[in-house]
Structure formats: structure tokens, C-alpha cells
């Protein structure tokens, strides 16, 4: 059985470990859990650190328990927040829980056995728990002084917005989760991001006081980028695991475009590659950083695991549309979603099918018919076509008077390329 703490330590993931945790994990197969609040119907890459923590936990021979917080999602965790979150309805939470469950099943083995992953929803044990019973059976074991001493509580009390009673009780609710899992699933360790330390140790304290038990805690470092910007965000917001929210192409591009410094860090955290392979990759990358071998290895590994090898290949083909030597056949092989995702930032225009059919030459098409988007005049269009600097759908134009009878991509798109880097999307409506 591999040493779990040591595995995370060389990967640069460990922040805090409660004394005795490593000894417990080296002694026997241990159940440990991480909670995921279903505040959206998809996880995003900010959750990947905790997902990978559970993946390594299982690979080291232990039993991972993924807790989806159907109940805690109704309360809202104040940790790391400057304002109270909007509370979600039961129906929305139920939908979100189902979506999150499906995503976690891509990473963890739920087929059973001593180290088989298990998923639980804390709504199952909270839905019949009456308020008076909770404050009598749970609340009396943790003092207000203890709760007030937590950083997450103190920072909110000092802020402009204060802290609602709902949020103040969150650490008790999460603490009870740990107690319930300890008593019902023999779960002895809770893990999470470093901002969760206060909530986690409330659970270990509750277990000690109420069950006279011994439980453990471990947290991972919060991910920061070398340039100081927030990890997990792109210009369009969160980078989601759901392909409907963030296309596999954009997902792939996010990892491909990280800095060299971040790539060295991320490849340890987000892939399953072993230490020797990673060190060899870093050394190889240093010899020719312009080839971005580290970023390519990172993007390949994580895109395949989150989406699929098929989507990874599509992302490569889509990347080649703008940044490589793609062919007409490459373009035709892309589905509409991937094609549009790759061309999201390029200039676009549309013309009616009737106007397209009535356009006599490619010179007319690339100037007057498309509102002079590609060329401001027929003369400039004609001159550059004759010089061999223009292509449509990756086919180089040679005759300015050629009839524009092209095979439309998805029966409605043309991609015009002017020079090496200027692309234009023309939609035939």
C-alpha cells in the first residue's frame, strides 16, 4: 500500500496534516471523505484538486467517500466568501447532485471492494433531523467560543456584510456530517482545501466529544497561478467539466496555454504521471520550451480523463484550424460545436444563401458580398488571391475569377484565410 501523504507531498499538494493521520493511513485501509457542495449542475476545474486527492487516496489502497452536500448546499459555507451565497431550492439541488455524481464517476472506481468508492448525500440524514433535536444532540457539544475562533467566522464578522445565523451554523452541520460518516461508514479522515481546516477540525472535535472517537484531518494547498491571477478562470468565467458549459476544445486550450511555471506545478497535481516521468518531461521541456511539451502532455492527460480520447483528438484538429497545418479534410471532420468553439474569436459575417448563389466570383465574395469584411475592395482581394495568400476552407485560391462553389462546412460555413494568421467565418443563411 503506497503512502498517501507522501504521494501528495511530492506532488506539492499538502498544506496541513493532523498528527496521527499518516500513521493511521499506513496502519490499515481507511475510509476518508471530501465534500462537494452542489451549487451548480457541474463541477469546474477548481474542484479538480479535491477530485485528484480522492483519486490518489483510492490508488493508495484506501476507500474514498464523496459527499455531495444536498443539505449543506441549502445553507452555504462562509469559508473564503465575502458575502452570503444565494440559497438554492430543493429541486435545483437534487438536479445538481445528480449531475455532480455523474461527473465524479468518471474519476473514481465505484465497483465495490475494500477500496471501492462510495457516494453519499448528506440530505439523506438531515431531511428527518428536527431543529430541536439538532441543537440538543449536536449543538451542546461545541461551544460558541470554539466556533467564533474560526478564521472563516472571524473574517466575516469583521467585514461589512456580517454573518447570518444560517452561515454561522455551517460548521456544526459539516461537523455532524463527519460524525455521521464516522459512526455509520467507519470514516476516519476528512480532507479538503486549506480553507476548510476550521470546518474539518470541528468534525474531529465533535467525534471526540460525542463518540469518544479519534478522527483525522488533512488539507491541500489552494492553487495559485504564477502570475497571481485566479486558477480555474478564463476570460469567459469558470472552466467547467461539463462540455456543454466549456467545450472540450476550450478546456484543452486552457491547459495548453498555461505558463511554463504553472505547467511544472499542474502536471504534478492534475495528472497521474509518476515522479520520474514528470521530472523527465520537465527536463525535456527545458531544452526546447518553445515546443511546449510540458503543456501538451498536461493538456492531453487531463482532457482525455475529463472528456475522452475522441474529444482530445477533435481538440487537436480544431487547434490546427487556426494554429497548424490543417487540411480540408480536417475541417470537414469537425462537428459544428467544435468548429465554432475554435473560431469564437475570429471576425464573422453572414450572407443569405440566395446572395451567395448569385455571387459571380471569389473576389466579389471576399469583398462586396461580405460587406468588405475580408477585403475593403475588389482590387485588394484580386491582388492577394493572385499572390497565393488567400484560401477558403483550407483550399488555396489561384484564380480571382473563380466561381465560389465551395463545399460548405456543416452545409453553411466558409472559413476564409488571409495571410498566415487572419481568419474570417462566413455563415451562409
Amino acid at each position: 500500500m503506497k503512502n498517501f501523504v507522501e504521494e501528495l507531498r511530492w506532488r506539492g499538494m499538502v498544506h496541513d496534516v493532523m498528527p496521527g493521520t499518516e500513521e493511521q493511513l499506513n496502519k490499515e485501509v481507511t475510509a476518508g471523505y471530501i465534500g462537494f457542495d452542489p451549487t451548480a449542475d457541474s463541477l469546474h476545474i477548481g474542484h479538480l484538486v479535491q477530485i485528484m486527492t480522492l483519486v490518489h487516496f483510492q490508488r493508495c489502497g484506501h476507500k474514498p467517500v464523496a459527499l455531495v452536500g444536498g443539505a449543506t448546499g441549502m445553507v452555504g459555507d462562509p469559508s473564503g466568501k465575502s458575502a452570503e451565497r444565494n440559497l438554492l431550492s430543493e429541486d435545483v439541488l437534487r438536479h445538481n447532485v445528480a449531475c455532480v455524481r455523474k461527473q465524479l464517476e468518471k474519476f473514481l472506481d465505484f465497483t465495490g471492494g475494500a477500496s471501492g468508492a462510495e457516494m453519499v448525500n448528506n440530505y439523506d440524514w438531515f431531511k428527518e433531523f428536527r431543529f430541536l433535536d439538532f441543537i440538543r444532540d449536536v449543538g451542546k457539544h461545541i461551544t460558541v467560543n470554539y466556533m467564533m475562533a474560526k478564521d472563516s467566522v472571524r473574517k466575516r464578522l469583521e467585514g461589512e456584510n456580517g454573518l447570518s445565523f444560517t452561515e454561522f451554523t455551517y460548521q456544526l452541520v459539516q461537523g455532524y456530517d463527519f460524525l455521521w460518516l464516522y459512526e455509520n461508514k467507519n470514516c476516519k479522515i476528512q480532507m479538503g482545501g486549506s480553507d476548510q481546516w476550521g470546518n474539518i477540525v470541528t468534525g474531529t472535535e465533535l467525534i471526540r466529544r460525542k463518540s469518544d472517537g479519534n478522527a483525522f484531518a488533512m488539507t491541500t494547498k489552494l492553487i495559485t497561478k504564477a502570475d497571481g491571477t485566479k486558477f480555474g478562470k478564463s476570460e469567459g468565467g469558470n472552466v467547467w467539466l461539463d462540455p456543454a458549459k466549456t467545450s472540450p476544445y476550450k478546456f484543452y486550450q486552457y491547459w495548453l496555454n498555461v505558463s511554463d511555471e504553472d505547467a511544472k506545478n499542474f502536471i504534478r497535481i492534475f495528472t497521474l504521471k509518476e515522479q520520474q516521468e514528470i521530472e523527465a518531461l520537465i527536463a525535456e521541456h527545458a531544452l526546447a520550451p518553445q515546443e511546449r511539451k510540458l503543456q501538451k502532455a498536461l493538456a492531453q492527460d487531463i482532457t482525455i480523463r475529463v472528456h475522452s480520447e475522441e474529444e482530445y483528438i477533435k481538440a487537436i484538429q480544431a487547434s490546427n484550424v487556426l494554429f497548424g497545418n490543417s487540411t480540408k479534410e480536417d475541417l470537414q471532420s469537425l462537428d459544428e460545436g467544435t468548429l465554432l468553439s475554435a473560431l469564437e474569436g475570429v471576425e464573422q459575417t453572414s450572407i443569405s444563401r440566395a446572395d451567395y448563389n448569385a455571387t459571380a466570383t471569389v473576389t466579389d465574395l471576399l469583398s462586396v458580398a461580405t460587406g468588405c469584411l475580408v477585403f475593403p475592395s475588389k482590387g485588394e482581394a484580386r491582388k492577394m488571391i493572385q499572390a497565393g495568400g488567400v484560401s477558403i476552407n483550407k483550399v488555396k485560391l489561384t484564380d480571382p475569377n473563380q466561381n465560389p462553389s465551395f463545399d460548405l462546412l456543416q452545409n453553411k460555413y466558409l472559413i476564409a484565410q488571409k495571410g498566415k494568421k487572419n481568419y474570417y467565418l462566413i455563415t451562409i443563411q
Side-chain angles (χ1 to χ4, degrees):
M1 195 161 66
K2 285 174 75 175
N3 184 316
F4 170 68
V5 176
E6 194 53 48
E7 178 72 17
L8 262 59
R9 195 171 275 137
W10 80 256
R11 291 182 183 273
M13 296 171 71
V14 175
H15 188 269
D16 279 313
V17 184
M18 184 175 282
T21 301
E22 196 165 358
E23 290 78 2
Q24 167 62 35
L25 294 174
N26 291 338
K27 181 176 69 174
E28 61 188 359
V29 174
T30 304
Y33 93 95
I34 292 176
F36 299 88
D37 271 351
T39 48
D41 59 2
S42 172
L43 300 173
H44 52 73
I45 62 172
H47 294 104
L48 275 176
V49 177
Q50 301 316 319
I51 293 173
M52 292 306 298
T53 299
L54 286 181
V55 168
H56 288 300
F57 195 69
Q58 186 170 46
R59 283 166 62 88
C60 288
H62 300 292
K63 181 181 179 64
V65 177
L67 183 149
V68 185
T72 38
M74 294 179 176
V75 178
D77 181 5
S79 302
K81 308 290 189 305
S82 59
E84 187 166 359
R85 292 189 308 203
N86 293 328
L87 302 185
L88 304 177
S89 71
E90 192 174 327
D91 287 343
V92 169
L93 279 165
R94 192 178 295 114
H95 168 72
N96 291 355
V97 165
C99 294
V100 169
R101 176 189 295 266
K102 193 173 179 183
Q103 289 180 336
L104 289 174
E105 286 172 347
K106 288 184 176 182
F107 296 90
L108 298 168
D109 180 2
F110 287 86
T111 54
S115 62
E118 190 172 347
M119 190 168 295
V120 294
N121 182 350
N122 61 9
Y123 184 70
D124 292 339
W125 55 83
F126 271 114
K127 63 186 175 184
E128 303 297 338
F129 209 159
R130 296 190 309 166
F131 176 71
L132 290 176
D133 292 337
F134 183 79
I135 60 174
R136 181 193 65 195
D137 296 341
V138 179
K140 72 175 183 179
H141 293 282
I142 301 293
T143 67
V144 171
N145 306 58
Y146 181 88
M147 295 171 72
M148 293 279 284
K150 296 290 184 289
D151 284 344
S152 59
V153 171
R154 195 171 62 251
K155 285 177 183 175
R156 284 291 299 278
L157 287 173
E158 293 168 356
E160 293 179 10
N161 299 310
L163 183 72
S164 72
F165 176 74
T166 302
E167 288 184 295
F168 183 59
T169 61
Y170 186 93
Q171 62 175 291
L172 278 184
V173 174
Q174 185 172 323
Y176 182 76
D177 283 342
F178 199 175
L179 174 65
W180 191 93
L181 289 169
Y182 178 86
E183 292 179 342
N184 293 274
K185 301 288 183 181
N186 196 29
C187 195
K188 293 183 178 178
I189 176 172
Q190 184 184 353
M191 297 160 283
S194 59
D195 60 337
Q196 289 295 310
W197 182 259
N199 291 334
I200 294 173
V201 296
T202 295
T204 62
E205 186 68 8
L206 192 58
I207 289 167
R208 185 184 69 81
R209 295 185 184 188
K210 189 166 169 54
S211 290
D212 197 27
N214 199 19
F216 303 94
M218 178 176 171
T219 58
T220 53
K221 295 176 182 176
L222 297 181
I223 303 300
T224 55
K225 290 173 69 176
D227 63 3
T229 58
K230 188 170 183 180
F231 168 73
K233 298 279 188 182
S234 67
E235 289 181 11
N238 283 327
V239 180
W240 300 93
L241 304 191
D242 183 343
K245 290 178 177 289
T246 299
S247 71
Y249 168 77
K250 283 187 183 176
F251 185 88
Y252 171 78
Q253 284 293 321
Y254 179 86
W255 300 103
L256 189 65
N257 289 311
V258 301
S259 69
D260 288 355
E261 201 58 41
D262 286 333
K264 291 176 190 175
N265 185 25
F266 294 168
I267 202 161
R268 290 184 174 94
I269 296 170
F270 298 113
T271 76
L272 297 175
K273 297 181 185 298
E274 297 296 341
Q275 188 170 6
Q276 191 173 354
E277 183 184 359
I278 288 174
E279 288 172 353
L281 265 171
I282 291 172
E284 193 177 346
H285 176 91
L287 296 174
Q290 72 279 3
E291 294 180 14
R292 302 181 73 76
K293 289 184 178 179
L294 205 53
Q295 286 90 338
K296 287 176 181 177
L298 170 68
Q300 176 182 7
D301 183 285
I302 201 161
T303 302
I304 288 174
R305 278 186 299 118
V306 170
H307 295 294
S308 67
E309 187 159 7
E310 181 185 1
E311 292 296 345
Y312 162 71
I313 292 169
K314 283 185 190 177
I316 293 286
Q317 291 171 333
S319 296
N320 287 336
V321 169
L322 297 181
F323 309 114
N325 299 314
S326 63
T327 65
K328 176 184 175 183
E329 288 70 32
D330 289 334
L331 277 182
Q332 291 173 333
S333 70
L334 296 180
D335 60 77
E336 185 174 12
T338 304
L339 176 70
L340 293 180
S341 186
L343 296 169
E344 187 176 300
V346 308
E347 293 187 71
Q348 304 184 17
T349 191
S350 60
I351 63 173
S352 70
R353 198 165 292 268
D355 286 344
Y356 173 67
N357 292 334
T359 302
T361 68
V362 290
T363 298
D364 293 330
L365 175 68
L366 297 176
S367 55
V368 180
T370 51
C372 297
L373 174 73
V374 185
F375 290 100
S377 68
K378 288 186 181 183
E380 285 194 35
R382 189 178 293 112
K383 184 178 179 181
M384 197 159 184
I385 291 170
Q386 288 172 331
V390 184
S391 66
I392 288 183
N393 291 353
K394 291 296 179 178
V395 177
K396 186 171 285 191
L397 303 181
T398 55
D399 180 5
N401 298 315
Q402 174 185 340
N403 183 270
S405 54
F406 301 99
D407 292 331
L408 301 178
L409 302 171
Q410 302 294 324
N411 199 34
K412 58 180 174 180
Y413 300 116
L414 292 174
I415 298 175
Q417 183 178 355
K418 179 174 71 175
K420 287 187 175 181
K421 296 182 179 178
N422 299 304
Y423 288 87
Y424 306 86
L425 177 64
I426 303 168
T427 304
I428 314 300
Q429 295 179 323

